[in-house]
Structures are given as C-alpha cells and as structure tokens.
Amino acid sequence: MKPELLALLTDEDWRLMSERATRRTFEKDGVALQEGTESRNLFFLQSGYVQVVRNFHGLRLTVTRLGPGEVFGEMSFLERAPAMASIIADGPAQVLILPEQEIESLLRSVPGLASRLYQSLAVTLSRRLRRIGDTGDESIGSTRTARTGFATERQLPPGLAQAVDGIKQGLQQIERQLRSHGLALEQAAAGVAGACDQICATLERFTRDDVVVDAGMADLLSFRDTGAVRAGIGAYIFRETFSVLMTSALVSRTFAMPRGFPDDWESIAAIHASEPAGDGQLGPLVDRWFLQRPLCRARRASAAAVGSLLSSLLGDGPAAVTCLAAGSCHEILELLGGTQGDGVTATCVDLDQGALLAAAERAEDLGLSDRISFQLGNVVPADNGEQLLLPPQRAIFAVGLLEYLGDEAALRLLDWTHRQLQPGGTAIFTNLAEGNTDALFMEYLLERKVRHRSAEALSELFRRSSFGGATVTAEAGGADLLALATRA
Amino acid sequence: MSAIVPGKSTGPQLPARYTNLDSAHSAHGSRIHAFGPALMQGDPLADALVEYFASRPLGGGRKQLEQALDHGIESVRNPHPTLAALFAQLDHVPLWVDFEQLDLGGSVYLRLGPLGQLALGCAALPLAYGSPAGVVPLVFTGRLTQRAFRRLIETTQFVFLTCKPGGLRRQGEGFKTTVRVRLMHAQIRRLLRQSPKWDAQAWGVPIPQADLAGTSLSFSVVVLESLRRLGCSFSARESEAVMHLWRYSGYLIGLEPQLACATEAEAMRMGDLIAMTQGPPNADCVALTQALMNVTMHMAQTPAQRKAAQQWCKFLNGLTRYFIGAERADALQLPNTRLRFALYPMRLTVMFFEVLRRVIPGVNALAVRVGAKTWSKSIEIGLAGVKVSYELPEHPAARSTP
C-alpha cells in the first residue's frame, strides 16, 4: 500500500521502494525508532498505530500518534540528525523500513525519483506543521481585550458606584478588624462571602437588559450599543473589586491564566483540593468563598459524576479510555487508581505540556505509568481536516471543554470523537449550563468567554453530530450539564 | 371586531398600536393605509450612521459628527459612506425652503414668550404623552417621571434654538441641535431594538416616522391652535411661516417628505388620524403627564415656594384641560381645578395685548425681543448652569390637535 502522503510517487517508484524495504512487525510498546539514535532510514506504517514519544526528564509524553499510511523518520533522514522522538507501537504495527543506502541507490538510478520523493516528504512535513499550527477557528487559549472605552462616565447607572463602594468599605472593615484581632475567623469568612456575593449580585443587577438600555440612553451621542455599555459596567466593577478579588489564589490564577489556557491543570487541581489560599488577611477568605461558588462546585460534581459513569461503563475488563483536554488528569488517575478498572488503559490529551508532565509524574508516583499515555495535542480537529489519531476507544470524555468551543468547532470535535470510538463506545462531555449563576462573574470579572448552553442546545448539538443524539442531565447545582452519547 | 386588522389592511405587518381602524377608515378613508407603514419605518440614513458609529472607538463617532456639523462634511477625512449620505441629505436645501419665512415663523414663536412655553408644556407634551405606544421609549428609560423636568427644559431649549433668527441655517445652532437629536433618535431606536423587551409586533419600530410626524404637528399646529384659544392671533402669513418652520425642522430630523405637513389643514387631518388610531392613554401616560404637571415642584425650595408651586400646578392642570379638552384630560387623570377660571381674565389680557401689538408700530418687534429673553431666561433657570447634553431631549410624539 503506497502511503497516502507519498502520493507524488509513481506506482513504479513505490514498487521499487517496497522491494528494497524490510517489513517488520512491532508488538505493543515495541520501539521502531529510539529518540536520540542516528537513523537515516525511512519508515512507512502499513498497519496499526504508533506513538511519537518524547522523553522529558524521564517522563514520557506522546507528541502525536501516527496511523496506517503515515511516514516517520523523515526528519532524521533529511537533516542527518539524531531522532528527535521515539516511535513506539501502540499495538501490533506493521512497518516497511527503507534503509538509507537503498534510498540513495534508487535516487541515483531512477530518473525523477529524487524530486518526487523530496517533494512528498516536504508535503508530509508541511502537513505536520499545519497540524501543530492550525487549531481551527476556535482557540481555547484566549487573549484579553482592553477594559476601557466601552461606556462613558454618564452611562454608569445611578447607584452603581454607591453599591460598589459599600462592598469595598465592608471588606476594608473586615480586614481592619482581622488585623486588630477584633473578629473571629468564621465571622470574617461569613462577612467576606457576603461581600463577594454582593459583588455578583451587583453585577447581575446592573447588567440587566433594562438597566443597560437605560444606561445607554444616558449618553446617546456616545453611540454605544447595549453590549458595549454592559461591558463598560462590567469593567467598572472589575476595576473597583480587582484588588480584593485578586488576593485569592484561585481567582487570581483563573483570571491570569498563567499557562495561557483557562481551567489549566493547576486551577483544576486547586478546585479539587479545595484548600483556600491567598495573600493578606482577605485572600484565603475570598478563595474559600470562590471554592464554594457554583462554578467550582460544578467542576467537582461533574468530575465525580464522570468518574462514576466511567467506572460503571468500563468495569474491570480491558478497555481503552481517552480524556480530552485532560489538564490534571484527575478523573483518569482516580479511575485507574481505584479498585476498579484494572484492565483499563488510558490516554490523556492536552495542549499543555506542563500539565501532562505533572500528570505523568503523578501517574509514576501511583505506579500507573504503564497504563497511561500522555499525548500532547489539540483535540479539536482543524478546519483543514488534520486531527489526532487514536486507536479505537471504549470511552472518550472531556470535563469543561465544550463550553470553550463554538458550535462548529464543537461539532468537529464530536464527529472526531465518534470516529475514534469503537462500536458501542461512549462519549461523555460536560458543558456549563445557561443556569450557571457564576456566568456574569466569569465573563466580566474573570474575563472568561464561555458558551453556556441550555440542555436543549446541547442535545441539539449532539443531534447534529455523528452521534445523532445524547442523554443530557444537569448536575445538582444546575451549573453544569453532562451529555452521554454512544456510537452505534 | 375590527374589519380592518393591522397586518391585513396593507402590505407590511402593522403593529398592534395602530388601532380603531374601522372608525378611522370612516373618517379618513384610504389615508389610514398610507399612514400605517410609517409606524414601521425609522430613519434609514441616521440608522445606518449610528450602526457605523457603534463600531468606532468611544468618542470617535461624536467627533466625526461634530466635525461635519461645524466645518462641513468636506472637512472630514475619508468620511464613511453613511456619514456622507446623511450630510448629503442635510446639506441639500429643498426647493420649497424659504429662509425668510423660517425666521418669521421663529419670531412668531419667540414673541409668544411664556405663552409659547405654556402651549408646549400644557398642550403639545400632554397630547404626546397620551399615546401609550409613543411613551414606551420613555418607559424604557426606567426613570419615566424623574426626568420630566430635564426633558421639559431640553425641549424648550430645542424649540428656542430652532426659532432663533437663522437657527435652521446650515451653521445655526438649531440646525446642529436638530441633527444631534436625529442621531439620538436613531441611537434610541438601536438600543431599544437590542432590548429583548421591545415588542415590535405591538409597538412597531421605536420612534417611527409616524411619531416624527406627530412631533412636527405638536410644535406647529398644536401650539398655534392652543395659543389661539388663549387669545393670541396670527395672520395667515404668520401661521403659514410657523408651519414652514416645523416642516423644514422635520426634514432635518429625518421626517419623510410625504409626512411633512405644509398647511394647517393637512396637519389637522393628520393629527386627527393619529389621535383616532393611537388607543387610549395607559398608566404610563398618566404618570408621565402628572410628572410634567408637577415640574415646578422640582424648583421649590422653601415652604412658601412649595405652596406657590402647588397653586401653579393647579393652574397648569386647568390650562391643560382647557387646551386638550375634558375627555383627554379625564383619560390622563388630570384634576378639574377651580383655577381653570383664571383662564378667562388671562385670555382677555392676552387679547388686549394682541390688539396693542397689531396697532402700535414697534410693539411687535419689542414683543419678539422680550419673548426671546423670556425663553432664554427660562432655559437658563431650568438648566441651573448645567450644560445641555441632549441626553434624552423631549421630542414629543404628539398625535393630535386639540
């Protein structure tokens, strides 16, 4: 079978190359090419899957997976440099290996082969680059916009400044009392939680449709739309409360997105650990408040629900499961570390190399390294069709991913998921619900652009996908939805 | 059940606010079909411009607008097509415009001084506030009654600037203010369309052409008729000039030419059609009108001033009842006070001064000067040093003649 990526070669070229190639079969975990070794061979994957694995201080990270028809070893061949990654079989894999001497001999004897081969390899590399560079029309990582220039001073609704000042004064008073030991910690925590709840309530009160229309009318010749005025009101509350909210470790981290992604693995780990931290007198108390907000509760509840579903779905038998946008890989590590799931192997996919390395380290500590592979990559198939490859999976899930994708990107992801599942395999996805009472807090104070979906909208998304439908349920707090779909 | 149903009587779907069509049809025939679509039409030129301005950085749209107003569209570097199109319409002076006649119409208004302001406050605005759909944009502000005083003062300022000599000439303040108000209307339209609470099926387009037409009638024929009832007299030339002034003001504010009335007779007919089809006043209309009647209480500081203001409010209620008629006054729940009897000596006094003005040379000119000062002083007191921003100036959607 001529590799698809070498389409520029003629059938005769391929026949000559095949005749001179060695055919080898690798069993699971068999090493076809070792990182750092000098190899000038070209490898053609005939059947099965292989992982391209890089070693980071002893921790293995899968950079990508290759499937039938793919070529590897081409970079070492072209650069005459040691292999940058190991190629390890994901299961039984048949590979044609064309030694350098044979290639050189053919290039010299077959007219035009050199240009056809090098052009084909260039196309291969170009596609790989595109796979890395093109994350589709939706990028999960986000950039911040300036928080000024949305509304004029006159468009700030009457009572807004007073309401915000009242909250700030209340918090300052608590801080003073804490410093002078005039307030018990629990009383202070209740006071801070009340004040922070007031921030959310103020945000809700002053961004209501009628208030925003009224505010827009207060300065008509500024020509601001309701969306801009609402953003201006949100920006005002953001600026005024920033110094207090950012004393919370988790709020600060969620806002700052130090990894370049929302819901990065350390934030999720902090939500699961639920141990308040922060700076100054108020920081830990603000953190404690945030950890009990619907958003954090929903993240914990959904992770637990997904874990429970996986346990019942997978049982003890051999099964492959993949976690998308895995982050801290909390659910997988819980699953594999539990009493059930002895025969389960897992793949954790994430864009964040740091997250995967941290999870790999934890897996090693738990003695689970041989059952989990960590794959670096974007799970959302790109517009150009480039996508990750997985061996057939029994289950694929993602907690807190769909809400960062628009409908089109979400559909591509669902269709891709459908293709990666074995018949009867199950997909589990969560999506923040329209009823999430932290939606405004997330949008205006944490700068998180999230697509909250209704149960109907989420069902409709699955209906439009290859799955043709899903069972959608809401977590107890109503802030998150869980969709369960099966490949027929 | 009406035989003429909004949405079936003419091509486009008409809003539910267009009511009582069978009776209106009996009185006005096919005119009701011609007028209906005006409830669904905004101001395409201004609407397109505010859409463009919304995409500009904060302050950018206002800057371009002021540049074009003060120094002409040619001074704006690479003007956006929407800005160029609006100013092409504004800078084009229709053939029928006679600037001398505009000044005459303005001088008639100015000489009326406090009487003109009374006609505005006690006839034009209450009639406007009698339209349940017309007041919806004001209801949306959430401060229906709190802004009554401010709206009255800004309306007074708008009328004063329009009536000043040369006010509607290209560099006149009346011209510029009218254009700003036009764009404010467009922006209100835009904001209300973005509100999920705006019920287009019930109310049509926010501030539609029909309401702009009503506004024009309020400032022209409503004021003329009200002042006649108060004893003022106008020559045919003068009343024609007043109609001319507000017809051109209507052109500048985006009113479609077919809805701009050139004569009092036309205006009376259209006013009657509007009154018949707008439906009875609702609670918002009542609240708005009562807030208007009580604006003087806003300025009272001492107990004595408050007592005087209460008496003045009673007088205003009586005057409004006199201007708009008992039936409409009752619908707006205006009290029937005894101070209405003060109107009769007032009418006699006005008639006496009108005779003096007509027969003694120079008195008319003096009346214009004194009247203009009165307008100016009222605005100055009302604004109390606050610069007019035209945050939501009253451009009453009046519907009717008294």
Side-chain angles (χ1 to χ4, degrees):
Chain A
M1 180 184 73
K2 185 172 75 173
E4 191 188 332
L5 290 171
L6 299 183
L8 294 169
L9 298 181
T10 64
D11 290 342
E12 179 61 13
D13 293 339
W14 180 242
R15 189 185 63 76
L16 291 169
M17 287 168 72
S18 306
E19 278 175 6
R20 286 164 174 75
T22 312
R23 187 179 305 268
R24 277 198 63 185
T25 300
F26 294 91
E27 295 306 318
K28 180 169 169 52
D29 295 331
V31 179
L33 183 62
Q34 183 69 49
E35 180 179 351
T37 58
E38 302 278 343
S39 166
R40 304 284 178 269
N41 303 336
L42 276 180
F43 299 78
F44 305 101
L45 188 56
Q46 295 291 90
S47 65
Y49 292 85
V50 296
Q51 295 181 45
V52 181
V53 176
R54 291 196 68 186
N55 191 306
F56 293 86
H57 309 293
L59 299 170
R60 282 172 37 169
L61 208 61
T62 303
V63 179
T64 186
R65 267 188 169 76
L66 304 175
E70 298 246 29
V71 180
F72 57 89
E74 78 286 352
M75 286 174 72
S76 297
F77 170 76
L78 291 168
E79 291 180 322
R80 302 191 172 278
M84 284 182 65
S86 298
I87 306 293
I88 298 171
D90 224 5
Q94 203 171 59
V95 179
L96 281 181
I97 305 171
L98 189 60
E100 183 189 18
Q101 306 89 305
E102 297 293 344
I103 302 171
E104 294 297 338
S105 160
L106 283 170
L107 291 179
R108 277 194 296 272
S109 59
V110 181
L113 175 63
S115 85
R116 292 194 289 276
L117 178 66
Y118 283 113
Q119 205 173 342
S120 296
L121 293 177
V123 169
T124 304
L125 288 170
S126 164
R127 287 202 185 171
R128 295 225 174 110
L129 269 177
R130 204 184 291 273
R131 187 184 297 177
I132 295 165
D134 189 350
T135 56
D137 58 352
E138 309 267 350
S139 179
I140 295 172
S142 73
T143 52
R144 296 219 165 79
T145 53
R147 299 297 296 270
T148 55
F150 291 113
T152 62
E153 181 70 18
R154 283 172 49 199
Q155 286 174 324
L156 293 180
L160 173 61
Q162 199 180 7
V164 174
D165 284 349
I167 295 167
K168 285 163 64 181
Q169 282 163 15
L171 286 165
Q172 282 164 1
Q173 193 180 354
I174 293 170
E175 192 174 23
R176 274 197 302 272
Q177 287 176 319
L178 278 172
R179 281 211 181 105
S180 62
H181 306 288
L183 196 64
L185 192 63
E186 283 309 308
Q187 279 179 298
V192 168
C196 291
D197 283 341
Q198 274 299 310
I199 294 174
C200 294
T202 303
L203 197 53
E204 190 177 345
R205 176 181 158 203
F206 288 99
T207 54
R208 283 199 328 256
D209 285 326
D210 54 343
V211 176
V212 171
V213 170
D214 187 27
M217 291 204 186
D219 192 357
L220 290 163
L221 293 180
S222 69
F223 303 111
R224 296 294 87 182
D225 281 353
T226 51
V229 173
R230 187 177 276 114
I233 293 167
Y236 175 83
I237 299 173
F238 168 80
R239 286 194 298 270
E240 293 296 314
T241 58
F242 186 83
S243 60
V244 172
L245 291 175
M246 293 303 140
T247 58
S248 149
L250 184 55
V251 172
S252 172
R253 184 172 187 90
T254 309
F255 168 76
M257 293 194 295
R259 306 293 307 171
F261 306 99
D263 282 335
D264 71 287
W265 71 275
E266 284 181 279
S267 301
I268 295 296
I271 288 173
H272 286 296
S274 201
E275 292 166 356
D279 285 1
Q281 300 285 348
L282 297 181
L285 302 181
V286 177
D287 210 51
R288 180 166 155 179
W289 163 79
F290 185 55
L291 283 164
Q292 291 310 315
R293 288 294 299 177
L295 173 67
C296 295
R297 288 205 308 268
R299 288 284 186 247
R300 288 191 290 266
S302 291
V306 168
S308 166
L309 270 171
L310 288 172
S311 289
S312 61
L313 274 171
L314 302 173
D316 285 328
V321 60
T322 291
C323 176
L324 309 178
S328 64
C329 306
H330 173 85
E331 300 84 5
I332 288 282
L333 292 171
E334 290 282 310
L335 177 75
L336 269 60
T339 51
Q340 284 185 297
D342 283 349
V344 175
T345 56
T347 304
C348 295
V349 186
D350 203 288
L351 273 171
D352 184 355
Q353 179 177 303
L356 294 179
L357 288 174
E361 201 169 346
R362 193 156 166 239
E364 196 166 84
D365 292 344
L366 294 168
L368 300 170
S369 295
D370 57 332
R371 293 168 58 200
I372 310 181
S373 65
F374 298 93
Q375 181 161 349
L376 194 64
N378 186 359
V379 295
V380 183
D383 284 337
N384 62 13
E386 293 292 337
Q387 54 191 256
L388 289 174
L389 281 173
L390 291 174
Q393 299 289 302
R394 174 72 184 82
I396 296 177
F397 70 95
V399 177
L401 170 62
L402 274 189
E403 58 251 29
Y404 292 105
L405 304 178
D407 282 359
E408 290 313 308
L411 273 175
R412 286 203 303 275
L413 175 64
L414 294 181
D415 288 343
W416 171 85
T417 302
H418 188 266
R419 286 195 298 276
Q420 310 309 311
L421 286 171
Q422 63 191 53
T426 303
I428 307 169
F429 284 90
T430 67
N431 198 119
L432 284 172
E434 275 187 349
N436 174 22
T437 49
D438 279 341
L440 293 172
F441 184 79
M442 290 173 72
E443 181 171 358
Y444 294 111
L445 303 189
L446 298 178
E447 295 192 346
R448 297 264 292 272
K449 300 289 179 198
V450 172
R451 288 168 181 83
H452 289 84
R453 290 188 170 95
S454 64
E456 295 73 29
L458 191 56
S459 296
E460 175 62 15
L461 201 59
F462 275 83
R463 195 196 59 72
R464 288 169 58 198
S465 75
S466 307
F467 287 103
T471 306
V472 177
T473 51
E475 59 94 20
D480 210 8
L481 298 171
L482 194 144
L484 193 72
T486 306
R487 177 175 176 172
Chain B
M1 189 178 145
S2 174
I4 302 170
V5 181
K8 291 186 178 175
S9 55
T10 55
Q13 179 76 36
L14 296 178
R17 67 176 279 187
Y18 202 39
T19 63
N20 195 30
L21 300 187
D22 288 340
S23 302
H25 189 264
S26 304
H28 293 280
S30 61
R31 250 187 239 112
I32 68 156
H33 299 310
F35 188 76
L39 292 159
M40 305 299 293
Q41 194 187 344
D43 175 357
L45 288 175
D47 291 346
L49 181 57
V50 296
E51 184 177 351
Y52 162 64
F53 279 167
S55 70
R56 305 297 304 152
L58 186 62
R62 178 79 191 250
K63 199 174 163 189
Q64 284 189 34
L65 173 67
E66 295 302 328
Q67 172 81 19
L69 278 175
D70 290 341
H71 305 289
I73 186 68
E74 58 283 351
S75 72
V76 179
R77 206 170 151 210
N78 298 325
H80 191 265
T82 55
L83 184 67
L86 179 73
F87 275 84
Q89 188 258 345
L90 290 170
D91 289 334
H92 168 74
V93 180
L95 197 59
W96 49 264
V97 173
D98 177 343
F99 284 105
E100 282 183 18
Q101 210 179 6
L102 295 181
D103 283 344
L104 175 61
S107 73
V108 170
Y109 241 84
L110 292 180
R111 84 169 182 234
L112 295 167
L115 297 180
Q117 292 164 44
L118 284 174
L120 273 181
C122 297
L125 294 183
L127 282 170
Y129 293 166
S131 163
V135 301
V136 172
L138 294 171
V139 175
F140 262 74
T141 69
R143 277 170 278 173
L144 190 69
T145 55
Q146 292 92 324
R147 284 178 175 168
F149 182 72
R150 182 84 185 172
R151 280 196 295 266
L152 178 65
I153 293 301
E154 291 190 349
T155 305
T156 307
Q157 165 107 341
F158 170 77
V159 171
F160 177 60
L161 294 175
T162 300
C163 295
K164 281 175 80 173
L168 292 189
R169 284 186 183 268
R170 179 59 184 84
Q171 284 306 320
E173 275 310 305
F175 180 101
K176 293 176 184 175
T177 300
T178 304
V179 175
R180 289 187 196 106
V181 171
R182 180 177 183 177
L183 288 174
M184 288 165 65
H185 284 166
Q187 182 63 13
I188 291 171
R189 234 175 263 129
R190 188 167 172 80
L191 287 171
L192 293 184
R193 278 173 168 156
Q194 290 169 3
S195 168
K197 288 185 181 169
W198 182 262
D199 185 348
Q201 285 192 330
W203 305 318
V205 167
I207 314 182
Q209 283 288 323
D211 287 355
L212 294 179
T215 301
S216 189
L217 303 189
S218 296
F219 289 145
S220 56
V221 74
V222 169
V223 168
L224 284 174
E225 274 297 289
S226 302
L227 291 170
R228 282 189 188 114
R229 299 194 72 192
L230 212 53
C232 296
S233 58
F234 308 103
S235 67
R237 195 167 152 263
E238 285 175 337
S239 57
E240 194 182 320
V242 169
M243 294 304 298
H244 194 72
L245 176 72
W246 292 106
R247 186 183 176 198
Y248 185 48
S249 171
Y251 172 83
L252 294 177
I253 212 153
L255 180 63
E256 291 289 332
Q258 70 269 20
L259 294 169
C261 298
T263 67
E264 280 193 80
E266 270 180 60
M268 296 284 267
R269 269 199 308 274
M270 186 182 287
D272 189 58
L273 190 157
I274 294 172
M276 287 188 84
T277 54
Q278 71 183 5
N282 61 13
D284 291 328
C285 302
V286 170
L288 204 55
T289 310
Q290 292 188 349
L292 176 70
M293 292 296 109
N294 293 325
V295 285
T296 44
M297 296 296 289
H298 173 87
M299 298 171 72
Q301 305 286 330
T302 64
Q305 285 173 339
R306 273 193 285 277
K307 196 172 177 186
Q310 277 173 354
Q311 293 303 307
W312 181 244
C313 287
K314 285 182 184 173
F315 170 72
L316 293 180
N317 274 302
L319 185 60
T320 304
R321 179 170 284 272
Y322 178 66
F323 281 154
I324 68 174
E327 193 182 336
R328 288 197 184 102
D330 287 342
L332 289 168
Q333 298 176 23
L334 294 174
N336 193 0
T337 67
R338 293 163 69 89
L339 274 173
R340 68 184 184 278
F341 296 114
L343 292 170
Y344 299 107
M346 184 181 171
R347 182 178 156 84
L348 285 174
T349 310
V350 170
M351 287 170 75
F352 172 70
F353 278 103
E354 281 291 86
V355 171
L356 291 183
R357 185 181 60 78
R358 282 200 306 274
V359 297
I360 302 175
V363 173
N364 188 61
L366 179 66
V368 172
R369 279 203 302 279
V370 173
K373 276 193 188 305
T374 316
W375 280 89
S376 180
K377 193 69 185 169
S378 301
I379 294 162
E380 191 185 317
I381 293 169
L383 292 174
V386 178
K387 192 173 179 295
V388 169
S389 58
Y390 287 96
E391 56 179 358
L392 187 56
E394 196 50 53
H395 219 229
R399 322 267 170 278
S400 153
T401 54

